Amino acid sequence: MATEEGYVPPDESTSVDSLGHSHPDVAEYAALAADLRGAVDGKVRFDEYAQVLYATDGSIYQARPAGVVFPTSVEDVQAAVRTAAAHDVPVLPRGSGSSLAGQAVGPGCVVLDFTKHMDDLLDVDPGAQRATVQPGVVQDHLEARLEEYGLKFAPDPASSGRSTVGGGIGNNSTGAHSVRYGITDAYTEEVRAVLSDGSLLHAREIVLDSPEYEEIVSGDGREAEIYRTVRALVEENEAEIESRYPELKRRVSGYNLDRVIYENEDGEEVINLSKLFVGSEGTLGVLVEATVSLVTVPEETALALYCFDGLVDAMRAVPEALEFEVSAVELMDQEVFRLASESTEFAQYADPIPEGTAAALMLEWDSELHDDFEAAIAATNEHFLREGAAFDVLEAYTPEAQADLWKLRKAAIPLLMSLEGDPKPYPFIEDATVPPEELAEYVQGFEDILEAHGTSAAYFAHAGSGTLHIRPILNLKQDDGIQKMHSITDDVTDLVLEHHGAFSGEHGDGMARTEFNPKMYGPDLWNAFKEVKTAFDPDWLMHPGNVVYRDGSDDVGPDSERGVGADMRENLRYGADYQSIEPQTTMDFSDEGGFSHLVELCNGCGTCRQTQSDVMCPTYRASKEEIQTTRGRANMLRAAISGELPPEEIHSERFQDEVLDLCVGCKGCMSDCPTGVDLAKLKAEVKHQHHERDGSGLREKVFADIDRLSALGSALAPVSNWASKVPGARDLMEEVLGIAAERELPEFRRESLVDWFEAREPGVSFTEADRKVLLFPDTYTNYNLPDAGKAAVRVLEAAGVHVAIPEGTAPSGRPAYSKGFLDKAKTRARQNVETLAPRVEEGWDVVFVEPSDAVMFQDEYRDLLSGPDVEAVSDAAYGVCEYLDVHRIDGSIDFRDPGEALAYHGHCNQKATNKDHHAVGVLRRAGYEVDPLDSTCCGMAGSFGYEAEHYELSKSIGRILFGKVDASPAGQVTAPGASCRSQLGDRDERSETPPHPIEMIADALAD
């Protein structure tokens, strides 16, 4: 199990990739790593894997750190900072790494990852509407804790499911509702931060010239110097601050000198350094605690999406929209709609968008501002539809309908990165902000710049605040594209200044925009920024080169070269020298643009780190290890195919165990990852190549061919079941095969489903039936759990369907595929297609009780084989509940009223292919009350949960599911997957294996 105990000590070898790119030498930092391990309680990782995993974020940049520390306390942070300083190594605090400007990566830094331990809500004061948090708390997790008080933290970035509050403060994050609430700096009241000397600074409101203030500034330490310097700089640059800082709802470039001194509610002039930490990107100190103000949560909201046939028309409508009392004004353009319609996960949300919509404005109203949503929307309809340029409107009043529109909007960034080919709509000047009344003219000017550079862009985001995410499409694997990026940025920053805007209204400076801050703020404020930096961090050890850099114009800063220069063209993830190996593959990767392109589709957005909804990534949810995210695995694979790792590393035991084997093949990333990084497919291909090169173990072969073992076990039952209960048998199996002794093994039935079916009286005759079904005898249903198969036959026949079990079929190949035995899987797929294709042509459908087998036919067969026969068989393949629902076959069935509530846990493979909802519909029509659980993989994942080294991780994932079941008001749980039912049945000694949904449907039959 590769949780924190599973990491090996650092590899002390040098690290220079095959392209000649130099990386931090692990050996170079061996002494630092040793000292850190002696100084902190948290884990310290300075091996090459840690460097690769933390070299990227959600941006276009890549820079290997020295290593990573996972602090457990404030004292750990202080010790880590002091130790790094003693070695003259910079420090970088990091949240979830979802940053889009490159501020979550830093070359040669000690990264402090707060998401594993320092992620708690420390205190809530509902009366004062305040909360105190640690930096690693994920915003959605905070919202869930605040829900009982009817409160929330107002800034709401699209990445709230994985972004941390500490990272949001470092970035001065915003969100869709900044029109209503403003941004993070307005809600940060106090912070505690560790400075570069390890001292702890408590930043809060201090009344200027009060005894408290005088006591602070009269000292001779770091804190006194900071207060004296900041006050002097603000007072000396008052005129420049007034003229250079634009009047916008969003401005997150540079340091907040305009906000650090202000008049409080009592009319007193105060200095509050917490406002300076906001947006500082970790360059002034390491945030370890923050007190933030909260707002009440409106009880209800409503949305209206106005459709325009021109982008500029939509921009002209923004100032008009702001004349109404709205809480959000969001933009999406036709490129977002197109990509969503082609996405497995988001197509359903794009379907309602009217044809011909070039751009849409989405307006939101909330119940704290409006009593009558319909009247409010009628007023905007009158304006935009009858008097304005909009040609249609979609109104959404229910939470479900609104959630669909918000999912479409929040998916825009990663969806755009899924474009085929190397040219991508990259983020580098994509969140410039101008006054809303200047948006239309600004967009026209931006279009002119794009045309002059021979490219185009996609448009979306927070139009109501004047922030548009405009992403020019470039190829950053070519020098021409890199230079064009810099030239476009130079031109666009000029355009932004002409329109009284800010270079960044949301995503910060980082590596992308720090270079251009002198242009925006002028020489006086630029020098003031450097003095601020030096006051807080005299040696420039805190994330140097971000927000501010040394440009040789003065002597401010350390004597070293640290923090000198800032060029947005450096440290690119994909540069002109980037190359990748396109391996010969057994599966077809043409739909993904090739194996390497599928790997590179990961843009680092970190959606795989979300833990409260959807499926991916179940192992991360249990371990909170970056290597166990889809992003982590994709980064490791990319490093392997690009030469960043040694050529043989992909076949190393560590790579196979930690990167590949801990992927459970749930396929959640296929749909949950907005760019569609199908790690299960990538894993199967790489495991296959590894087997071809280095062979495979006995256990892998046994599980890959489990059908033969199951057939034997069934033939020998009940003796085969007794054998596993003989004292010492379990221990022997663990020793010989690595099968966990603690895990209950499935029991074999002497009478298989096929035996039962052949012995029974015929059901609905062939001539009488309207539909004909071949019920596929999958391994689990046939030999272990035939009751579900029998129930499927009963239900199908009750609906007048003629059922037969096909002869001459092979096992589906799912176990072999999952274990990377692609030749075996392909052989079985070919046999099944050749056997079933003629029957399908005659009008038969193929129905499955086991979801993973159904999806194998529907999805993986198309990767393993090609031709019209495989397409026909795949199209004719259905899960049993899917079949009933798609064709509404259950409509002809008479059901009694079962009067029972069910918690439904859908199978992860079916969730990934958007098919898990069918069972819910059929169960409800059968008379059940159904609570569909928003649950991830059960953790069993075929053989994964039986493997001794994975048993504890499997149970940890299972406990997440158990919690969902316990929280459901339903008393009975049902699940279609045999693995899921095994995990639920193996929960504790009192647990029973829950029924398949088809069994519950059969129980509800009127007869």
Side-chain angles (χ1 to χ4, degrees):
M1 173 181 172
T3 57
E4 56 190 43
E5 290 79 12
Y7 278 83
V8 299
D11 175 7
E12 304 298 340
S13 63
T14 59
S15 179
V16 178
D17 67 33
S18 63
L19 301 177
H21 298 155
S22 61
H23 302 300
D25 186 345
V26 172
E28 176 185 347
Y29 295 106
L32 170 59
D35 287 350
L36 283 168
R37 290 190 180 97
V40 304
D41 292 330
K43 293 293 180 180
V44 176
R45 296 177 186 152
F46 270 58
D47 58 297
E48 192 171 27
Y49 278 27
Q51 290 180 348
V52 170
L53 290 167
Y54 286 83
T56 58
D57 54 9
S59 72
I60 61 177
Y61 294 100
Q62 174 172 311
R64 282 205 193 184
V68 188
V69 175
F70 301 84
T72 62
S73 64
V74 174
E75 291 74 21
D76 264 7
V77 176
Q78 290 177 294
V81 169
R82 289 190 185 107
T83 304
H87 287 262
D88 198 36
V89 174
V91 171
L92 165 60
R94 172 169 162 138
S96 67
S98 59
S99 306
L100 290 172
Q103 60 265 62
V105 296
C109 289
V110 172
V111 173
L112 303 178
D113 184 342
F114 292 98
T115 60
K116 192 168 181 63
H117 302 296
M118 296 182 68
D119 60 347
D120 203 5
L121 169 62
L122 300 176
D123 182 61
V124 181
D125 185 341
Q129 294 189 190
R130 281 189 167 194
T132 300
V133 300
Q134 291 181 308
V137 64
V138 172
Q139 180 155 342
D140 278 2
H141 299 180
L142 173 62
E143 305 300 338
R145 297 278 296 276
L146 296 174
E147 189 174 353
E148 64 177 295
Y149 307 108
L151 299 171
K152 67 176 182 178
F153 185 51
D156 58 340
S159 58
S160 60
R162 67 269 191 195
S163 60
T164 65
V165 175
I169 291 173
N171 187 66
N172 200 0
S173 290
T174 61
H177 294 87
S178 59
V179 167
R180 170 92 152 87
Y181 297 110
I183 62 178
T184 297
D185 58 57
Y187 297 91
T188 305
E189 305 294 338
E190 300 181 21
V191 304
R192 285 181 168 81
V194 174
L195 302 180
S196 61
D197 62 354
S199 62
L200 188 64
L201 176 68
H202 180 197
R204 73 277 189 198
E205 282 191 357
I206 304 290
V207 177
L208 288 177
D209 301 324
S210 66
E212 183 180 20
Y213 177 81
E214 292 300 333
E215 182 180 356
I216 292 173
V217 298
S218 63
D220 57 4
R222 179 75 57 82
E223 182 180 27
E225 176 63 20
I226 290 170
Y227 274 94
R228 289 194 297 263
T229 299
V230 171
R231 180 177 186 178
L233 289 172
V234 172
E235 291 175 350
E236 291 167 6
N237 291 279
E238 184 176 356
E240 280 291 282
I241 291 172
E242 179 69 24
S243 65
R244 287 282 184 172
Y245 283 84
E247 293 184 10
L248 299 166
K249 288 183 178 293
R250 295 160 168 261
R251 190 273 311 154
V252 298
S253 297
Y255 291 131
N256 291 334
L257 290 178
D258 61 328
R259 297 168 190 175
V260 70
I261 294 179
Y262 55 91
E263 192 174 280
N264 67 12
E265 293 179 353
D266 297 324
E268 301 167 310
E269 192 173 27
V270 299
I271 182 170
N272 188 344
L273 295 181
S274 72
K275 307 297 183 182
L276 205 54
F277 277 100
V278 178
S280 66
E281 302 182 1
T283 62
L284 302 182
V286 180
L287 179 74
V288 292
E289 186 180 299
T291 298
V292 296
S293 55
L294 309 171
V295 297
T296 53
V297 180
E299 292 184 4
E300 295 181 287
T301 57
L303 287 176
L305 188 81
Y306 292 96
C307 304
F308 297 82
D309 55 18
L311 177 64
V312 174
D313 290 334
M315 294 298 93
R316 290 197 181 103
V318 172
E320 300 169 18
L322 294 173
E323 294 176 8
F324 299 90
E325 283 192 304
V326 293
S327 51
V329 180
E330 296 290 293
L331 172 79
M332 291 175 276
D333 82 342
Q334 58 190 352
E335 187 68 5
V336 174
F337 299 141
R338 182 185 70 81
L339 291 170
S341 68
E342 297 171 357
S343 162
T344 301
E345 181 182 7
F346 296 102
Q348 59 185 311
Y349 308 124
D351 283 345
I353 305 301
E355 187 176 348
T357 303
L361 288 180
M362 187 168 74
L363 277 59
E364 184 190 78
W365 294 260
D366 70 57
S367 56
E368 293 186 347
L369 297 176
H370 295 275
D371 296 326
D372 188 338
F373 289 145
E374 291 187 1
I377 292 178
T380 52
N381 286 350
E382 177 76 19
H383 182 82
F384 289 117
L385 295 179
R386 297 190 183 182
E387 302 175 14
F391 69 85
D392 204 350
V393 62
L394 301 177
E395 299 177 10
Y397 296 96
T398 66
E400 294 78 16
Q402 293 177 63
D404 286 352
L405 289 175
W406 277 117
K407 284 181 180 178
L408 185 61
R409 161 60 193 90
K410 288 190 173 187
I413 289 177
L415 270 173
L416 287 166
M417 295 305 292
S418 68
L419 280 175
E420 293 183 5
D422 289 333
K424 303 284 186 189
Y426 285 114
F428 53 90
I429 190 60
E430 44 82 58
D431 67 324
T433 300
V434 300
E437 60 272 16
E438 299 191 39
L439 269 175
E441 188 178 346
Y442 169 70
V443 166
Q444 289 175 318
F446 207 120
E447 289 277 336
D448 292 341
I449 292 172
L450 294 175
E451 183 177 356
H453 288 85
T455 188
S456 60
Y459 296 76
F460 63 99
H462 316 295
S465 301
T467 302
L468 285 188
H469 295 322
I470 308 177
R471 294 191 164 205
I473 299 174
L474 299 173
N475 185 355
L476 297 186
K477 293 181 180 179
Q478 296 177 354
D479 187 66
D480 178 66
I482 296 169
Q483 301 311 318
K484 192 176 292 187
M485 174 182 69
H486 191 268
S487 180
I488 289 173
T489 306
D490 204 16
D491 290 346
V492 170
T493 49
D494 288 342
L495 179 67
V496 170
L497 290 182
E498 290 175 19
H499 288 282
H500 315 98
F503 299 165
S504 176
E506 182 168 16
H507 297 147
D509 294 325
M511 294 182 175
R513 283 178 286 272
T514 294
E515 174 186 354
F516 298 93
N517 273 342
K519 179 192 289 191
M520 179 172 170
Y521 289 104
D524 292 340
L525 287 180
W526 180 242
N527 284 330
F529 287 173
K530 286 186 279 189
E531 291 187 51
V532 168
K533 168 69 173 171
T534 302
F536 278 85
D537 178 24
D539 296 319
W540 285 45
L541 282 166
M542 309 307 296
H543 202 193
N546 291 265
V547 182
V548 64
Y549 62 91
R550 294 190 61 212
D551 55 7
S553 63
D554 56 42
D555 296 326
V556 177
D559 293 333
S560 73
E561 293 298 304
R562 190 182 303 111
V564 174
D567 189 328
M568 70 178 302
R569 293 164 290 190
E570 296 178 354
N571 296 306
L572 293 172
R573 188 187 307 189
Y574 302 110
D577 294 328
Y578 179 85
Q579 301 175 36
S580 62
I581 300 167
E582 183 59 41
Q584 291 281 46
T585 60
T586 297
M587 284 191 285
D588 182 7
F589 284 85
S590 58
D591 285 347
E592 296 89 356
F595 180 94
S596 61
H597 186 262
L598 180 56
V599 173
E600 293 167 7
L601 275 179
C602 176
N603 60 27
C605 68
T607 305
C608 44
R609 289 176 63 99
Q610 66 187 19
T611 60
Q612 292 191 325
S613 63
D614 298 325
V615 178
M616 73 170 185
C617 190
T619 47
Y620 171 75
R621 297 183 186 205
S623 70
K624 298 181 78 171
E625 297 284 356
E626 175 70 17
I627 199 170
Q628 293 181 35
T629 63
T630 301
R631 177 175 71 179
R633 296 183 179 109
N635 274 331
M636 296 302 296
L637 281 172
R638 183 171 50 80
I641 65 174
S642 67
E644 191 180 335
L645 288 175
E648 295 300 302
E649 184 61 29
I650 200 169
H651 293 289
S652 70
E653 182 178 351
R654 184 181 184 191
F655 196 99
Q656 292 291 314
D657 289 349
E658 294 187 19
V659 179
L660 298 179
D661 287 352
L662 291 177
C663 167
V664 297
C666 69
K667 294 175 68 73
C669 48
M670 178 181 172
S671 59
D672 293 353
C673 171
T675 56
V677 180
D678 189 348
L679 226 298
K681 181 176 180 179
L682 291 167
K683 170 195 172 180
E685 182 66 48
V686 177
K687 291 295 290 185
H688 170 74
Q689 295 187 17
H690 181 64
H691 293 328
E692 291 288 291
R693 196 192 100 137
D694 292 349
S696 56
L698 176 60
R699 186 183 65 187
E700 289 179 303
K701 292 176 181 176
V702 168
F703 280 133
D705 210 9
I706 193 67
D707 189 77
R708 291 188 180 183
L709 179 64
S710 297
L712 179 63
S714 176
L716 297 177
V719 176
S720 54
N721 297 322
W722 300 339
S724 66
K725 296 178 172 60
V726 172
R730 297 283 187 83
D731 293 335
L732 182 62
M733 280 193 295
E734 181 164 330
E735 183 178 344
V736 175
L737 289 176
I739 296 175
E742 304 93 331
R743 180 66 74 178
E744 287 293 325
L745 300 178
E747 292 201 346
F748 300 105
R749 299 289 186 91
R750 177 77 175 190
E751 182 184 56
S752 70
L753 176 66
V754 172
D755 294 338
W756 170 84
F757 190 85
E758 290 177 347
R760 70 190 289 271
E761 292 294 323
V764 178
S765 71
F766 181 86
T767 56
E768 294 174 352
D770 294 328
R771 306 191 72 92
K772 300 170 290 185
V773 157
L774 297 171
L775 185 66
F776 188 87
D778 70 84
T779 301
Y780 269 110
T781 306
N782 194 28
Y783 299 117
N784 304 105
L785 302 168
D787 289 348
K790 296 174 185 178
V793 173
R794 285 185 61 204
V795 173
L796 288 167
E797 291 185 343
V801 177
H802 176 70
V803 181
I805 291 183
E807 297 179 358
T809 57
S812 72
R814 166 63 71 190
Y817 177 91
S818 298
K819 287 298 179 184
F821 292 90
L822 297 186
D823 288 341
K824 184 183 291 290
K826 181 180 284 191
T827 298
R828 291 178 171 176
R830 184 176 294 110
Q831 180 178 339
N832 286 331
V833 168
E834 290 175 353
T835 301
L836 297 174
R839 308 291 295 278
V840 168
E841 188 175 356
E842 294 170 357
W844 291 78
D845 295 311
V846 187
V847 171
F848 300 79
V849 173
E850 176 57 36
S852 62
D853 288 84
V855 174
M856 184 71 185
F857 271 67
Q858 293 165 336
D859 184 39
E860 282 86 357
Y861 274 22
R862 300 177 195 266
D863 294 327
L864 291 166
L865 305 172
S866 61
D869 283 352
V870 69
E871 295 295 329
V873 171
S874 293
D875 288 342
Y878 300 88
V880 61
C881 292
E882 176 191 3
Y883 187 70
L884 294 169
D885 190 44
V886 167
H887 301 292
R888 284 296 192 269
I889 294 170
D890 58 309
S892 62
I893 301 176
D894 292 328
F895 292 106
R896 63 178 177 83
D897 183 7
E900 189 173 356
L902 302 175
Y904 170 71
H905 167 62
H907 193 278
C908 49
N909 285 179
Q910 288 189 320
K911 289 181 179 182
T913 51
N914 196 29
K915 298 178 184 297
D916 71 299
H917 61 283
H918 294 295
V920 176
V922 179
L923 286 166
R924 285 173 174 167
R925 291 195 295 275
Y928 293 100
E929 293 182 13
V930 184
D931 175 24
L933 302 179
D934 188 0
S935 51
T936 184
C937 173
C938 69
M940 199 68 181
S943 65
F944 182 85
Y946 291 103
E947 295 162 357
E949 71 274 25
H950 298 148
Y951 173 76
E952 289 298 335
L953 182 57
S954 170
K955 295 296 286 186
S956 295
I957 300 170
R959 282 189 282 273
I960 298 173
L961 172 59
F962 303 156
K964 297 278 188 178
V965 172
D966 291 343
S968 174
Q972 171 70 58
V973 62
T974 180
S979 291
C980 310
R981 305 203 301 280
S982 296
Q983 181 81 295
L984 288 161
D986 201 19
R987 178 177 181 175
D988 53 45
E989 293 179 356
R990 301 184 305 276
S991 299
E992 295 182 359
T993 301
H996 190 293
I998 197 65
E999 294 180 84
M1000 301 305 297
I1001 295 166
D1003 285 347
L1005 293 174
D1007 60 352

